[in-house]
Structures are given as C-alpha cells and as structure tokens.
Amino acid sequence: MIVALVVVCLALITVYFRESDGGRLHGIQGVGATVLRPFEIGATHVAQPFRDVYGYFSDLVHAKSRAANLEKQLNALRQSQTSGLEAQHELGIIRRELHYKAPPDVQHLQRVNTAVIAQPVNPFDQSIVISAGANDGVRAGNPVLDPNGYLVGTISLAYSQTALVTLLTDESSAVGAKDPQTAAQGVVKDASGGSDSLILERVSKAEKIREGDQIITSGFKVRPDLSSLYPKGIPIGWVRSVQQFDTDVYKRVQVAPYANFSKLESVMVVLTPKGMRGLP
Amino acid sequence: MTWPIDELKTAAIVFVVTIFQVSVLSSITLFGGSANLVLITLVAVALLRGSIFGAAAGFFAGILIDTATLSTLGVTALLLTLAGYWTGRYAETTGRDRAHAPLVAVAVITLLYAVGELVLNYMIGEDVSPAAAFHALPPTMLWNVLLAVPVYALCRRLLGERTGERAREVQFFG
C-alpha cells in the first residue's frame, strides 16, 4: 500500500512536470480547485472575525514604530505635494498642446476585485490562489495589486474560476522599475531574504537614487523577448538602503515593498489590454 | 466492524483541517512561523489508526493541499504519505501507550517534514532557501508541539481508540 501511494505520488510529479499548463493533469487540478473553491471561501468567511482580532493585536505590536515611520513619510509627502500638483497641472497643459499619446494609465484599466482563497503553505511557495479566473477575464500575465493599489505579483496560471498569482517575492519575478524622483531605472527582484525584502538590480552607478525614494513600475521590458507585464506607474515600494562598492558594476539597492505579502486577504487583478500581456 | 465509518470520519476531519490550513492558518504567523494543523492532525490520526491508515490520510491531505494551492501535484502528497506512514509505524511499535508519543511524533515529523520539503523542492527546481526554512522551523515546531496534545485528544474523541493486536516493539525514538 505505502509503495503504491509513493509510486502514485512520483508518477503525479513526473507527469505534472512534463506536461504543459493545458495538460490533462493541470485540467484535473483546475477542476479540483474549482470544486474546493466554495469550501475555501466558506472557511475564510468563518475565520474572518478571528483574523480581524488577530490583525488588531498584531498591528498594535508594531504600531509605535509604524506611526513614527508614517509621520516621517507624511512630512516628506506634504513637502512634495504642492510642487507635484503644480507640475501635474503644467504636464496636462503641455500634453494637450503637443497631442502627446501616453500609454494607458493603470488607474484607467479595468480591474477585477477578488478574494485570496489559498495562502502559501511552505516557505518556498511564493504564490497565492485567488477566487477569480478566466471566466472573469483574468489571463496569465495580468498584474495583481493589493487593495491599496500596490503591486503584489502577476497571474501565472488561470483556470475557469481560480487563478494562481506568483508573488513579487518569487525568484522568477522580475519587474522593470524606476525611481520617479531621479528617473533611475532597474529591475526589482526577490532578495531571498524574507517576505519584506526586494532588491532593485541593474541600477548604474552613475544614476542617483536616495533612501526613502518611491519605486514604481517603469512599464519597460525586462527581457527582450517579453512585453512588459506591468503597466507604468504601479507603486512597488520604497528604497530602504543604497550601497555602492568599487568592485560592483551596479549599485546595491534594497527595496521595502509597500504590500504586506503575508496578510493578503483580497487583491485586484488589472485586466491589461492585449498588447500589454506578458507574451510576445 | 468500524469500516467505513472510520475512513469517512478521518476523510471529513482531514478535509476540514486542510481547507482551514490553506485558507486561513497559513497566513497567520506568530514569531515568524505558523502552525501546521494538517501535519498535527495527520500525526494524531496515524498514532490512533496505524501506518496504512496514516499513509492513506497523508496522501489524501497532500492531494487536497496540492490541488487547493495549485502547486505541483504530488509533492505535498508524497511528504505527507511518508509522514503518516512513519508516525503509524511508530505508534504500532515504540510509541504505543506512551503518553509522550504525540509530542515526540509531532516534533520529529515537523523537523523531518521541513527537511523533506526543502530537499524535494530543491530536486524539482524550486528556489529554496535553507535559511528561510530553518528560520521558520523553531516557531513552527513550538506551535505544532503546543497544539499536539489538544489536537490528539480531539482526534481520539472523534475517532476513538483502536482495538487490535499489539505489534512487536521496535526501538525508533523515545
């Protein structure tokens, strides 16, 4: 019996690996996930009051340091707000006069709000399952944001009623990003140091970048064979530290993500236009 | 004769616990780790019902987890099948009638499961970080061991003690 079960497991792993996303085993898994979906949603609803209580006390623990950090950010934002508004107004006038064709703003793209129905079950799994799928217009390559509009990851697999979201903290994630304050550009990847750690790679030493700067998606290609998965202007995080060594070709920029990957209960899927999907 | 009442009860328990684990518990971390209620329940079931029952329950739980999380089908099933089988063998031999058996089994299985998860994920090409895995291990171990006794007591209440022949004692642990 035990040998039979182990053989079945090994056979499942082998077949699952060898077949494509549209293979028979993936199809069966998709049907199974659809069947389990109502139970997962039910469990989430039942546990919601307890999660709220846990969240309340958990937030209290970090409240003091978080308040100090937010106050610092608020002061910086107040200073930049006035000049930002004025610049935005001027930009609008200039764009109109030049008939400038800007790429679609993320704010104007259609979104699907959905619940997270399965969380990562081990430290290596950097993906979540959401309760929306191909029937809702969700496709592989769609960007996924948290309820505050911060980048969380991208859809990697979409079944009819569920979809798999690969988080930014997964090793396979790579996002073209920039510092809008200084226009420094790079690629945001997982730093392999826990869920609250990302790095901005390939930032030239000549570029200027400061601690506390905001990092947003650049909308540019990360690899030549792929169109950008992410529309321009989605907030990713802020620069936690910048280091520069003589032996390195690029700066070492550590980015703290805005999204809290361990507390995702609902997300927004941005339905990007066909030309902006991740496939060539 | 308890068949198939035992099987149905166990399937229901494993199903509810697995759904609860993937939807709720996995997102609740305390001191850097979260309890693995599926593993604790599996250990309790295997201690109460033996190796074959434990292996089958582990396989069922693993398939449910792999399906619900849309991860590689068979990976968690393989780990939990082996975990259920080992715990069952322990219960049939050294662990039987020993009060500390749930605690020892949960502690050992939590450690072996973390190592197995690390190795298996490495073998299938996932990005694995031993540092991240072992950083989360002490708190996970703590929560699992703290929950071991109440979960075992609850499972024993739901499933009842098994009556049957006593197996020959073999020294594994404890």
Side-chain angles (χ1 to χ4, degrees):
Chain A
M1 171 90 168
I2 176 70
V3 176
L5 289 177
V6 169
V7 169
V8 170
C9 291
L10 292 174
L12 285 173
I13 295 169
T14 309
V15 175
Y16 194 90
F17 255 96
R18 291 180 71 88
E19 72 176 17
S20 65
D21 285 353
R24 184 171 288 184
L25 215 50
H26 280 77
I28 294 170
Q29 189 184 37
V31 172
T34 305
V35 171
L36 292 176
R37 182 173 166 257
F39 296 102
E40 292 171 71
I41 293 171
T44 308
H45 286 169
V46 168
Q48 195 57 48
F50 302 101
R51 287 173 79 158
D52 290 344
V53 171
Y54 163 76
Y56 176 77
F57 286 106
S58 173
D59 288 346
L60 274 182
V61 174
H62 306 289
K64 201 172 175 183
S65 60
R66 195 156 176 261
N69 194 23
L70 288 173
E71 200 170 342
K72 211 165 126 183
Q73 282 184 32
L74 182 66
N75 288 333
L77 287 171
R78 273 184 184 146
Q79 288 170 8
S80 63
Q81 187 193 24
T82 314
S83 56
L85 283 171
E86 201 174 327
Q88 195 177 8
H89 178 68
E90 282 177 6
L91 181 68
I93 294 169
I94 294 167
R95 276 184 174 175
R96 271 196 304 276
E97 287 183 355
L98 294 175
H99 304 290
Y100 178 72
K101 286 190 179 177
D105 193 325
V106 68
Q107 306 297 332
H108 301 128
L109 294 173
Q110 200 184 343
R111 298 168 186 212
V112 174
N113 296 301
T114 181
V116 175
I117 57 171
Q119 305 277 350
V121 289
N122 65 55
F124 322 116
D125 185 14
Q126 294 300 325
S127 57
I128 54 172
V129 180
I130 57 170
S131 179
N135 290 354
D136 307 290
V138 173
R139 298 283 181 275
N142 288 156
V144 181
L145 317 181
D146 77 355
N148 298 317
Y150 302 138
L151 189 65
V152 164
T154 183
I155 300 288
S156 50
L157 190 61
Y159 291 120
S160 59
Q161 293 188 21
T162 55
L164 186 70
V165 179
T166 300
L167 300 176
L168 274 182
T169 45
D170 189 271
E171 60 145 355
S172 62
S173 288
V175 188
K178 71 174 188 179
D179 177 346
Q181 292 88 338
T182 63
Q185 291 185 10
V187 178
V188 166
K189 296 189 81 175
D190 171 43
S192 303
S195 64
D196 62 345
S197 191
L198 300 170
I199 48 168
L200 183 63
E201 288 184 347
R202 304 182 75 82
V203 178
S204 160
K205 283 182 175 175
E207 307 244 42
K208 284 182 182 171
I209 195 159
R210 297 180 301 258
E211 286 182 20
D213 279 1
Q214 191 186 34
I215 299 297
I216 61 170
T217 54
S218 64
F220 294 148
K221 290 179 182 181
V222 172
R223 294 208 314 254
D225 57 326
L226 293 180
S227 306
S228 175
L229 293 171
Y230 306 96
K232 187 180 174 182
I234 304 174
I236 300 172
W238 54 278
V239 176
R240 184 181 275 158
S241 70
V242 183
Q243 291 177 314
Q244 189 168 316
F245 298 99
D246 292 340
T247 50
D248 290 345
V249 181
Y250 299 106
K251 284 180 190 285
R252 292 185 188 183
V253 183
Q254 198 176 16
V255 176
Y258 289 132
N260 186 342
F261 297 102
S262 61
K263 284 187 180 174
L264 290 172
E265 293 175 13
S266 61
V267 292
M268 294 185 288
V269 183
V270 179
L271 306 182
T272 49
K274 202 174 179 183
M276 293 183 73
R277 293 227 180 100
L279 298 171
Chain B
M1 187 169 152
T2 56
W3 194 91
I5 303 297
D6 252 10
E7 282 78 358
L8 290 175
K9 269 188 190 175
T10 307
I13 292 168
V14 168
F15 183 82
V16 170
V17 166
T18 304
I19 294 295
F20 191 65
Q21 179 75 44
V22 297
S23 317
V24 183
L25 265 185
S26 294
S27 64
I28 298 176
T29 53
L30 287 166
F31 306 115
S34 57
N36 191 337
L37 203 58
V38 174
L39 203 60
I40 307 166
T41 308
L42 178 66
V43 166
V45 167
L47 284 173
L48 290 164
R49 287 295 179 270
S51 56
I52 299 301
F53 215 99
F59 179 78
F60 179 55
I63 289 291
L64 281 178
I65 290 176
D66 289 336
T67 304
T69 58
L70 299 179
S71 49
T72 308
L73 214 53
V75 172
T76 315
L78 179 60
L79 289 168
L80 290 181
T81 300
L82 295 173
Y85 180 76
W86 183 87
T87 311
R89 287 297 297 148
Y90 173 60
E92 289 161 356
T93 53
T94 317
R96 175 154 285 191
D97 299 334
R98 296 202 173 157
H100 64 263
L103 293 173
V104 172
V106 164
V108 172
I109 288 294
T110 302
L111 177 66
L112 293 179
Y113 184 81
V115 174
E117 204 171 41
L118 184 74
V119 172
L120 204 54
N121 278 284
Y122 175 76
M123 284 171 68
I124 62 173
E126 294 285 333
D127 178 36
V128 293
S129 161
F134 291 111
H135 178 73
L137 184 60
T140 300
M141 176 84 80
L142 176 71
W143 300 126
N144 284 2
V145 169
L146 283 175
L147 287 170
V149 173
V151 170
Y152 179 75
L154 191 63
C155 286
R156 191 168 60 181
R157 193 177 172 83
L158 292 169
L159 295 173
E161 289 280 4
R162 187 173 67 165
T163 54
E165 283 187 19
R166 182 179 288 253
R168 185 167 52 88
E169 181 155 322
V170 176
Q171 196 72 37
F172 280 135
F173 288 96

